[in-house]
Amino acid sequence: MTCPSSTTLTATTSRARTSLLLQLKLGCHHWSPSRSRSWTCLRYGHGYIGGEGGGGGSLLGTAARRHNVSKNRAVRGISMFLNTRPKPVVKDGVLSFDGTEALKDMPHNIVIKPWYDSSSAAFLGAAFTDESESSSSSTSRLVFKLGVIRETRLLCLFRFKIWWSIPRVGNSASDIPVETQMLLLEAPHDHSASSDGTTAYILFLPLLDGETRSSLQGNSADELQVCVETGDPALLASESTKAVFVNYGGNPFDLMKESMKILQKYSRTFALRETKQASGIMPGMLDWFGWCTWDAFYHDVNPQGIKDGLSSLSKGGTPARFLIIDDGWQDTTNEFQKEEEPFVEGSQFGARLMSIRENMKFRKASSEASSVPNSLKEFISDIKSTFGLKYVYVWHALMGYWGGLHLDAPGTQKYNPTLKYPVQSPGNLAHKRDIAMDSMEKYGVGTIDPARIFEFYDDLHRYLASQGVDGVKVDVQNILETVATGSGGRVSLTKHFQQALEESIARNFQDNGIICCMGQSTDSIYNSKKSAITRASDDYYPKNPNTQTLHIAAVAYNSIFFGEVVVPDWDMFYSRHNAAEYHAVARAVGGCGVYVSDQPGQHDFNILRRLVLPDGSVLRAKYPGRPSRDCLFCDPVMDGKSLLKIWNLNKCTGVIGIFNCQGAGSWPGLEDSPKMNSPEISGKISPSDIDYFEEVSGKSWKGDCAVFSFKSASLFRLAKHGKLDITLGTLQCDIFTVSPIKVYGKKVEFAPIGLINMYNSGGATDAIEVITEFSDFGIRIKGRGPGIFGAYSNLKPKSCSLNLMDEGFEFRSEDCLLTIPIPSSTDVWEVAVYY
């Protein structure tokens, strides 16, 4: 059967497996049925696309041309076609959505498969007839062109190290770095409005396809390329017909959410953060203040030091309720560090695990002093009862330790470890070297037999649980892609390890107690079914002044992608540090767990008390904190003019953190770029910077907001699109609570701010309701935590009460700020304001 055009659609069969391809051949196209699926050719404008079996397609304006497609499926295809969402169209080598060009000069071997359940989403890939069609001679790693991108603003998230991702902005494909895992385009200016009048966006997500993993990159000719690799020279990558997912929409956050929902449904290999939250598997430690031992002690962590740190935090009124005992507790040995010889930097990554038990710092022999605990179990029981800890996590690497398992130790032989020397892909080697990876390449990794990996995790976690441990921080996760030779390739090996890890966590820890770390590759993310927390940036480096701003910006942008699958973890920080408030405000707006790594007695409680309530809980925002729309295609670290705005929501309010990230550091790979001259940057914040604000404003909202600045303690009234001017110096920040002003009883205009002594003041407010009891008219606000409750009120109240008792209040008529004190002994409160 031939379509009425000079262009033909061909359905082919993969030589690796039976699957249908819709191959676009420029100049001559036809189509034919596959053994495994039926396809419908549909015409859109003058280009042709196909719909996958199960959703179908339809010929626009005439009749559906179909082969082995039932009438019901044809009707369903027509029904779906009536959807107003723009469809992907290919004409003359140009892929476009609603007149917006996404790619130009597409090669002849590019394959496009629209997603049957969405009119704007599609898969892109390629099939190769011989190796000459790829830019690589190695068939375990193929690079092919998708098309040309020019003159459009774009945002990439790419791995600048094997472990970590950072953002990069640009205007053409030549600005897209190797190892890009997310690409977002703003529609070109001549087609910049979607059907609802807003700016349009195009999203590209490289995927896992069978045994292959894809990433994006650009070249000097502004061609967008796809790199497809297996991670095993013995495993061929002859084609990848669903290497990249592409979608189009008017809201970038909706677009990302919708796209990840489609991919969850398509792949069934991972679960969304929303799904995990609905399933009740979010670890409880997220809502409590924590302390991590790493930057406090590094490898010298010890029981007495931990007690000292927990004690000093409790005495200051911000008790830690969860603890991470980081690297330094395990039973390891290191043949590369000789006693009485000079320390060789990097040799620490050659150490190997001897057993699953704790080392002798945490358990004593019978002759040792009483200050050493008898066991890890005794120690954890002691600190939980003494300091009110709810959760104790311990650190371990994915392979047990940095250098894996000792090959001949009695405690590890049962897991059949073999020494492997990691091999990084050319994509990783194109960017910044990492001392941990370099060292592991030098010393090798005692790699656990994949057939024994669940046994190892189950033994380790069952032992830890028996000692009172509630969860684990699992580090060095991306190591798998470098040791996959002979083990089925990087995708299969990662999936196998991830499944074993998550099964062990579910079996041994009741609260899904795991924080993933150094696992920012799509191999891991697209195999995350249960893991709910993942570190979202390179480490916090307290001694490096050039990385403080980079850290904040990296997590915010990475959260656009990773935040759909996990709660992004912002890492620890020092509360006594020149950038302490900068980091604290970021955690307050980040929707993440909050924990510090202060040395015992080295705390700034003025900062900590703005984050932590006296009971040890934190006011965690609702979603992962992400950049506002007007920041998406700016470089807040190096363009010399942009401030970074991070938005989030609470139950009743919105929140915006604003940061000057300019002038303190340079992105890796851009260190030679010109530096800014002025330390101060000016910008604007607006209630419209907060997406999904309708979740707190409701349908009856008239459009005005109360906006409270923590830094100046000022209250402003702004329309939804009103703006406030902000000027900040390098490493300065502010945080604004944005509360919708609503009308009560026809004349009272009211908006709760929350606890104005806290960075995320609105996080303290749980509910607001009208009081119409007897002759009284008023407003009741429910919340938690002591401090100063603040609200916008256009009228001065007649009286106020706290937990049914009359309470004094202050009313500032010049800006309508109402404040009511909440005593330090109060955990949960109801404030009533009467008019």
Side-chain angles (χ1 to χ4, degrees):
M1 183 179 294
T2 304
C3 295
S5 170
S6 60
T7 321
T8 344
L9 300 174
T10 307
T12 63
T13 303
S14 165
R15 67 182 180 87
R17 60 192 177 279
T18 303
S19 66
L20 183 61
L21 310 181
L22 184 59
Q23 188 167 334
L24 300 178
K25 296 287 188 180
L26 301 183
C28 179
H29 288 152
H30 69 278
W31 73 273
S32 60
S34 161
R35 291 177 293 175
S36 60
R37 283 182 178 145
S38 299
W39 283 75
T40 300
C41 173
L42 64 91
R43 180 177 180 179
Y44 190 84
H46 299 286
Y48 286 84
I49 60 175
E52 190 167 347
S58 177
L59 183 61
L60 179 63
T62 55
R65 297 178 180 267
R66 50 191 166 81
H67 183 87
N68 290 335
V69 181
S70 69
K71 291 182 180 179
N72 288 338
R73 291 176 71 182
V75 169
R76 192 159 63 244
I78 293 171
S79 172
M80 197 186 81
F81 187 77
L82 296 177
N83 191 320
T84 59
R85 293 288 302 277
K87 299 175 181 294
V89 176
V90 176
K91 178 185 177 183
D92 298 329
V94 176
L95 173 65
S96 62
F97 298 83
D98 197 24
T100 298
E101 295 179 346
L103 294 169
K104 301 178 182 179
D105 301 331
M106 295 175 66
H108 69 279
N109 65 320
I110 296 304
V111 174
I112 179 169
K113 290 185 175 183
W115 172 250
Y116 72 88
D117 226 2
S118 170
S119 58
S120 63
F123 295 93
L124 301 175
F128 301 99
T129 56
D130 56 59
E131 292 181 5
S132 64
E133 293 190 46
S134 168
S135 62
S136 171
S137 60
S138 170
T139 52
S140 67
R141 185 176 188 270
L142 302 175
V143 177
F144 62 90
K145 296 179 291 186
L146 274 184
V148 171
I149 297 175
R150 290 194 181 102
E151 297 179 356
T152 183
R153 297 204 298 173
L154 57 85
L155 166 67
C156 312
L157 298 179
F158 74 101
R159 290 200 297 168
F160 79 101
K161 286 183 185 178
I162 183 174
W163 322 111
W164 307 118
S165 295
I166 56 174
R168 178 72 55 82
V169 296
N171 297 286
S172 66
S174 60
D175 297 317
I176 301 172
V178 173
E179 274 295 315
T180 287
Q181 299 188 132
M182 186 209 83
L183 172 63
L184 182 69
L185 308 182
E186 184 182 56
H189 294 298
D190 54 341
H191 296 290
S192 61
S194 62
S195 57
D196 62 359
T198 61
T199 300
Y201 303 86
I202 303 165
L203 176 67
F204 292 87
L205 294 172
L207 304 175
L208 310 182
D209 184 14
E211 295 82 20
T212 64
R213 177 258 185 189
S214 299
S215 59
L216 299 174
Q217 60 193 49
N219 63 19
S220 58
D222 288 332
E223 293 170 326
L224 178 64
Q225 297 178 322
V226 183
C227 174
V228 177
E229 54 192 333
T230 67
D232 185 345
L235 191 62
L236 304 184
S238 60
E239 66 177 26
S240 182
T241 60
K242 292 184 177 179
V244 180
F245 177 85
V246 61
N247 202 359
Y248 172 93
N251 180 311
F253 306 110
D254 282 348
L255 177 61
M256 177 61 71
K257 184 187 299 291
E258 176 195 76
S259 298
M260 296 302 285
K261 283 184 177 179
I262 291 173
L263 294 179
Q264 175 187 241
K265 182 177 180 181
Y266 158 70
S267 71
R268 299 182 180 180
T269 60
F270 72 96
L272 298 176
R273 172 182 48 79
E274 284 185 354
T275 303
K276 294 168 184 174
Q277 190 163 339
S279 301
I281 61 172
M282 282 293 166
M285 43 73 61
L286 284 168
D287 295 313
W288 299 94
F289 176 57
W291 181 51
C292 178
T293 64
W294 178 242
D295 285 311
F297 299 107
Y298 299 111
H299 292 99
D300 295 329
V301 61
N302 61 86
Q304 188 57 49
I306 291 175
K307 289 183 178 181
D308 292 343
L310 293 172
S311 176
S312 61
L313 285 169
S314 293
K315 290 176 181 177
T318 58
R321 294 295 184 237
F322 85 87
L323 168 70
I324 302 175
I325 304 176
D326 213 291
D327 194 353
W329 70 272
Q330 292 173 286
D331 179 16
T332 63
T333 187
N334 194 337
E335 63 182 288
F336 308 106
Q337 285 184 0
K338 306 297 183 182
E339 290 187 17
E340 300 181 359
E341 290 186 5
F343 173 74
V344 177
E345 182 63 26
S347 61
Q348 67 268 32
F349 301 109
R352 310 196 199 285
L353 193 69
M354 297 290 287
S355 75
I356 61 174
R357 295 193 65 189
E358 67 273 24
N359 59 37
M360 297 306 295
K361 290 186 291 184
F362 290 87
R363 58 183 167 92
K364 69 176 179 181
S366 58
S367 60
E368 286 188 293
S370 60
S371 60
V372 179
N374 287 313
S375 64
L376 183 63
K377 182 176 184 178
E378 178 188 90
F379 173 66
I380 291 177
S381 177
D382 181 18
I383 59 176
K384 280 185 174 180
S385 61
T386 302
F387 301 107
L389 284 169
K390 296 178 178 291
Y391 305 96
V392 174
Y393 281 34
V394 299
W395 179 98
H396 72 77
L398 192 73
M399 289 291 181
Y401 201 68
W402 290 97
L405 304 189
H406 193 283
L407 273 59
D408 301 314
T412 59
Q413 283 182 324
K414 66 180 290 190
Y415 310 114
N416 195 26
T418 57
L419 189 62
K420 288 192 174 184
Y421 291 88
V423 178
Q424 294 191 69
S425 73
N428 291 333
L429 296 175
H431 292 307
K432 190 170 183 176
R433 301 289 301 189
D434 178 79
I435 188 171
M437 194 70 248
D438 289 347
S439 301
M440 286 186 280
E441 288 176 351
K442 177 181 178 180
Y443 300 121
V445 176
T447 304
I448 303 167
D449 184 348
R452 303 285 179 86
I453 188 59
F454 174 74
E455 183 180 8
F456 170 72
Y457 290 145
D458 188 49
D459 287 349
L460 172 61
H461 297 153
R462 184 160 22 93
Y463 174 74
L464 291 173
S466 75
Q467 302 299 297
V469 172
D470 303 286
V472 286
K473 176 182 175 182
V474 183
D475 217 337
V476 205
Q477 295 201 5
N478 283 357
I479 189 64
L480 292 173
E481 68 186 69
T482 70
V483 294
T485 298
S487 298
R490 59 186 290 176
V491 174
S492 295
L493 187 65
T494 301
K495 181 178 182 179
H496 178 68
F497 269 63
Q498 186 78 14
Q499 287 176 342
L501 178 63
E502 293 188 341
E503 183 180 348
S504 177
I505 296 296
R507 175 178 292 194
N508 294 293
F509 300 122
Q510 295 181 354
D511 194 48
N512 194 28
I514 181 172
I515 301 171
C516 297
C517 191
M518 300 176 80
Q520 282 195 354
S521 71
T522 47
D523 310 60
S524 296
I525 290 296
Y526 287 136
N527 278 300
S528 173
K529 279 194 171 181
K530 295 180 181 178
S531 301
I533 306 172
T534 294
R535 271 276 306 282
S537 76
D538 199 347
D539 289 7
Y540 164 73
Y541 296 108
K543 298 176 183 178
N544 188 342
N546 298 323
T547 61
Q548 308 305 310
T549 58
L550 303 175
H551 187 103
I552 303 305
V555 181
Y557 284 90
N558 286 339
S559 295
I560 298 170
F561 175 40
F562 297 123
E564 294 300 325
V565 181
V566 294
V567 174
D569 181 271
W570 287 64
D571 203 11
M572 65 204 84
F573 69 100
Y574 276 169
S575 72
R576 183 174 288 184
H577 191 274
N578 71 307
E581 184 162 68
Y582 198 77
H583 284 278
V585 169
R587 274 65 172 181
V589 76
C592 55
V594 178
Y595 55 106
V596 296
S597 193
D598 296 344
Q599 294 177 352
Q602 301 298 308
H603 316 290
D604 186 336
F605 288 108
N606 288 327
I607 287 175
L608 292 180
R609 290 179 191 131
R610 298 166 186 167
L611 280 172
V612 187
L613 296 178
D615 65 356
S617 65
V618 295
L619 304 179
R620 188 164 69 94
K622 191 174 181 180
Y623 297 122
R626 290 160 286 182
S628 60
R629 292 198 209 186
D630 59 344
C631 292
L632 289 177
F633 304 103
C634 301
D635 184 350
V637 170
M638 296 186 65
D639 70 9
K641 60 183 180 180
S642 300
L643 294 174
L644 172 63
K645 292 180 286 186
I646 302 175
W647 65 273
N648 214 321
L649 290 172
N650 297 302
K651 290 181 180 178
C652 302
T653 60
V655 60
I656 303 170
I658 184 165
F659 305 82
N660 184 349
C661 302
Q662 307 278 352
S666 302
W667 291 117
L670 298 178
E671 290 90 349
D672 296 331
S673 300
K675 304 296 188 296
M676 61 175 291
N677 295 320
S678 173
E680 286 196 338
I681 299 290
S682 295
K684 300 178 185 295
I685 68 108
S686 171
S688 61
D689 291 328
I690 302 173
D691 267 77
Y692 309 136
F693 194 68
E694 64 277 5
E695 291 184 16
V696 298
S697 66
K699 296 180 179 179
S700 62
W701 179 52
K702 302 299 183 182
D704 280 2
C705 293
V707 180
F708 181 80
S709 162
F710 180 89
K711 186 176 181 180
S712 67
S714 301
L715 184 62
F716 306 89
R717 179 167 180 153
L718 286 181
K720 180 179 180 180
H721 295 284
K723 298 180 185 297
L724 280 178
D725 293 323
I726 307 293
T727 299
L728 296 171
T730 299
L731 283 173
Q732 289 184 348
C733 61
D734 199 356
I735 186 166
F736 294 84
T737 296
V738 182
S739 184
I741 297 174
K742 298 182 182 180
V743 180
Y744 300 89
K746 298 184 179 180
K747 62 178 181 178
V748 176
E749 297 180 347
F750 189 89
I753 302 299
L755 293 180
I756 61 175
N757 52 294
M758 306 295 285
Y759 289 127
N760 181 23
S761 58
T765 304
D766 292 328
I768 180 171
E769 58 192 31
V770 177
I771 300 171
T772 55
E773 301 166 355
F774 306 108
S775 60
D776 293 326
F777 172 79
I779 299 166
R780 181 183 294 115
I781 308 96
K782 298 179 180 180
R784 62 190 179 96
I788 304 295
F789 172 77
Y792 172 92
S793 175
N794 69 322
L795 300 176
K796 183 177 180 179
K798 290 181 179 178
S799 64
C800 295
S801 70
L802 173 65
N803 292 341
L804 303 180
M805 301 294 291
D806 287 344
E807 184 63 58
F809 66 90
E810 292 185 5
F811 183 74
R812 206 162 67 188
S813 58
E814 61 267 27
D815 59 3
C816 299
L817 176 63
L818 168 68
T819 56
I820 301 168
I822 310 291
S824 59
S825 58
T826 307
D827 291 327
V828 179
W829 44 260
E830 288 188 4
V831 166
V833 181
Y834 296 99
Y835 295 91

